[in-house]
Amino acid sequence: MTLGYLVRRLLAVILVLVVVTFAVFAITMILPGNAAVMILGEYGTDEAVAALERRLGLDRPWYIQYFDWFGGVVVGDFGQSLRLSQPVADVVGDAFWNSASLAVTALMSVTIIAIPLGVLAAIKRGTGSDLIIGIFSYIGASMPEFVTATLLLVFLAGPALGLLPAGGFIALNESIGGFASHVVLPAATLGLILTAHISRQVRSEMSEVLASDYIRAARLKGLRERRVIRRHALPNSLAPAVAVISLDMGYLLGGIIVVEEIFAWPGLGRLLILALENRDLPVIQAITLLLAAVYALSNLLSDIVIAMLDPRVRYA
Amino acid sequence: MTGLALLVLVLGAAIFGPFLAPYDPQAFHPTVRLQGPSAAHWLGTDQFGRDLLSRLLNGAPSTIFFGLGATLLGVGAGSVIGVIAGTAGGWIDSIIMRILDGLLAVPELLFTLLIVTILGGGMGQAMLAVAIAFTPGMARIARSSVLSIRTREYVLAAVARGEPSHYIVLREVLPNAAGPIIVESTIRVAFAIMIGATLGFLGLGAQPPSTEWGLMVAEARQFMFRNAWTVAVPGVAIAMAAMGFNLFGDALRDSLDPRRSH
Amino acid sequence: MAGKTTSHAAKRPVLEVAGYSLSYETATGPLHALKNIDLRVEHGQTHGLVGESGSGKSSLAWSILRYLPENAVENDGKILLSGESLRDRTLQQILEIRGRRISMVFQDPSTSLNPAMRLGEQLSEVLIRHRGLTPQEALEESEAALDRTGISKPKDMLRRYPHEASGGEKQRVVIATAFACNPELIIFDEPTTALDIITAQQILELFNQLQDETSISALYISHDLGLVSRVADSVSVINAGEIVESGPRGEVFRTPRDSYTKALLDAVPDPTHWLGVAAPPPETPALMTAKAITVEYGRQSRVAQLLAPKPTHVGAQDVSLEVRKGELVGLVGESGSGKSTMAKVLSGLQDFDGAVCFGDRSYARLGEIDRAYRRAVQIVFQHPDASLNPRQRVRQILSRPLKLYDIVPPEQRAERVAELLKKVRLPVEFADRFPHQLSGGEKQRVAIARAFAAEPELVICDEITAALDVSVQASVADLLVSLQNQTGTACLFITHDLNLVRQLAHRICVMQRGRLVDAFARDDAEAADRNPYTRALLKAVPPPASQAV
């Protein structure tokens, strides 16, 4: 894990992101209709549309539009939202923190629950507990976010029980209690599918570790099972567990879009859906770039953590 | 084996569903709106009095075949690319890998949304979008499976003999590399069903008057507090379909595991 | 130098197994692993347990240590440690016994050590657990223990992780751990099998030395008769779960009574027992010459070197050797010596610098190797499980070369396949079988048949007997020689088994760390002008068991 290695990885991430921006740009260029058309709607005459296009800069050749935008990004200027005529950075900025608070809450709860669940299932493999955990994780992994969300809403937020609000958002710095009550359902929705995946993977990794020769050797040294699990098995399953969590970031970043839509959570997901409907190119660009960057960086981070955990990788 | 049973049930519903529906899925029965299960309507009715069971059965093909179709396309395209990368090696492989890395950097659902927005809403377009989104992931799996078979000694023996490349790829490598690809495909079908339903829910996939299950949930949202069955029925059906494929895929993986065959 | 003979008549045996049977419940019925086992390890003695794979020798070790899976079914046979029954103990009691009164040394130190824990901790944890030492005391004691097992910088080694130590060093740590609590019995399960010849020899010497110093009682399990003859005082031979012979070492090895024991002893390679074909006359021209072959792995294009430089690794350096028509040349070396690299180069699988001359053509790169060469030079690999396409029947596997090189017209191919099977002493019906329906030895014969199907002039055998049991090894080697006799094919026989190669090869080449360090005719194997490495190798190889004192 040398500095050179880290630098090379970062460069690779940046390269990938550049490719992503280009791909997104290309995609949106192919989109039929553009922001001008969307803003003016059915009533836009051809001249009005053309005039708006000129004002928004949509009539320039594509490569000019791309490099202009790209140049801006490099210095931190993401352009103006075509729909709202506000700097994209402002529009996206707030949404980013909102999404982050939801994502972090979900991720933390998942990690705390899923890893011990997976470890337990592996240790008690073949017994009743394992079966129950297994069934739960199959069900969880088969339910798309919107189904989970809808079912949770029906049972917990409905007029019958009315335990939790059906949607909406209160910022953390306004009221912790308010934030908490509004974040529970969306985080639980995201968390369910993630917990199911992660616990299943952890179980399989841990089972493999438990079947290995060095665990057998440790048991044959007469060590108590608690020590075998704690000092021999767990450290060797942590690295794979981290790998799994970073893989699931992809699901998280996708699922958050749907969850925000259902629970009216004012984050990047909701913003993206609106932007897609309105062909708001700069916003689409910015959000896609942001999400891809988060994904890529989380993979890098997990690689670093794995290297710290596994002494063999450290010297690679 | 539970997986197989579920799978049979699900596929049966997909193929025969519309023919088995007791009522016309679009027919209104205003006198029995938003009712729970009863003798006349086994799963209850929705806000227009339409029979939920019939709608469910009618929507089965859309939901299930969406999953199968999207996966088939994605697996096909991805496998071809992955096999090419894995067998060609060298700079072809490097370029393909770089492009794959770039595409895989975008979370899958996001990717699907972007593509489906270009293509416009609708079942066919959504299916294509999901297929395109699956392709990089499948390519990577196909590639790594091919790479691991390429170093086996029987393949080396064929190379040493001077066998032509097409023989090596088609007769020595592919039949043995297919295993992991098939297992992954089965699990992907589950995923495709889920994404298809999500797109239907968001209005980007199936369009009314289709009774695709995701769409059913979306249409029933306003009324879900008055009759939970309207959302629960399609929701649980989606989960069961996905679960069937998941279980089957896992069982397939276990049985194909070479360690078990001794 | 074998174990000592102590007068032990007065003391009880440390380990006594009497009338013990074990079977596993499987979906297809019970699998009988051990049948009516009687075994004794006397105090201060080493008892060897010899058996091939699947004989049940490892199952016995697990039974003694009470480490059995849930589907294990035992009868009421006895297992006694110093007179006390081990069978009716609770798990807690067993955990007290393991590591403390009985310990175990495993076969492969790279898998039996925890890769994420420092070696020192893996040693001291038994001391802390069983002798109640504090971590500090345990570390000091561990350092002393490592010193006793011949580790040069013990304090250093304590802090290392397993991947930072060599195979020999790791095994010494495992041995030190086994001795740490002064157990009554140590079970050694093939402790040198995963090690290089010279390292294995060192570990063997260490074992004998420790045995002398501590008078430990040991159960030494191995498939290698030669090895066992060097360490054991008494021996049991196990075959298919039954003890077929038992007795003092000299008796069992020189005057075996059981037919299986006799067959096993006969199968062990004896360098003085020549099996090979007659040597070709001295003026025979060279069939294949390799000149100054150098292989560097990991070469990158300049672009790749800039972006992600990786160190290169030399597989072979400046190696020259030749094989004459009808000759069998042995290529010997330990792991990492480059012998497999040479196999790959000469069979057209690996790019190289230098030149390969075959017949009247010369090839300077992998790309130049042509079809004529590939037909004339065939290779047989080490692992029978991997060398045959699992999805093809034997008939297809053998027809392929016939078709590719047009050896016989299509209508005669089935007949030729039958002939090939007969030549490798397999029933003709095997043509319909899939590889997983064959045993290891049978698969290897099919691989040999496939090589000879092309009617080659040179067959490269890359460790073809290494993955086989001793008794099967002998028959495969025998088969190879008879085929050579029939066809006059030359052979490059690559192996790490020096005794075997001396039975077959006319000339022997020795490789070390990528270089060819010695080459000699078989008669000159023990001449004075041999390279010191060659001499070390020869000294490290156990003599055949029948010569046991």
Side-chain angles (χ1 to χ4, degrees), chain A residues 292-310:
Chain A
V294 168
Y295 192 27
L297 286 174
S298 79
N299 278 334
L300 184 56
L301 193 65
S302 87
D303 279 351
I304 295 177
V305 172
I306 289 179
M308 290 185 345
L309 287 174
D310 186 345

Side-chain angles (χ1 to χ4, degrees), chain C residues 421-489:
Chain C
L421 284 171
K422 272 199 288 232
K423 262 203 201 160
V424 296
R425 304 177 192 156
L426 286 175
V428 168
E429 302 78 61
F430 275 27
D432 282 326
R433 289 205 185 174
F434 283 102
H436 67 264
Q437 295 169 297
L438 303 174
S439 73
E442 290 165 346
K443 280 188 271 216
Q444 206 65 317
R445 289 167 193 265
V446 174
I448 294 176
R450 177 176 62 190
F452 275 90
E455 295 176 350
E457 295 173 55
L458 170 66
V459 174
I460 301 177
C461 298
D462 188 3
E463 302 255 30
I464 63 174
T465 54
L468 302 172
D469 276 330
V470 167
S471 48
V472 181
Q473 277 184 21
S475 59
V476 167
D478 194 50
L479 173 66
L480 183 68
V481 167
S482 90
L483 283 171
Q484 237 201 331
N485 243 330
Q486 290 173 35
T487 60
T489 312

Side-chain angles (χ1 to χ4, degrees), chain C residues 278-299:
Chain C
E283 64 275 5
T284 318
L287 179 64
M288 183 209 67
T289 314
K291 293 193 186 137
I293 302 286
T294 301
V295 174
E296 199 183 350
Y297 291 116
R299 275 197 196 140

Side-chain angles (χ1 to χ4, degrees), chain A residues 27 31 138 158 251 254 272 295, chain B residues 105 109-110 118 191 225 243 250:
Chain A
I27 288 175
L31 281 176
Y138 266 111
Y251 290 134
L272 180 66
Y295 192 27
Chain B
L109 190 63
L110 182 56
I118 308 175
F191 207 44
F225 292 128
M243 194 148 75
D250 268 1

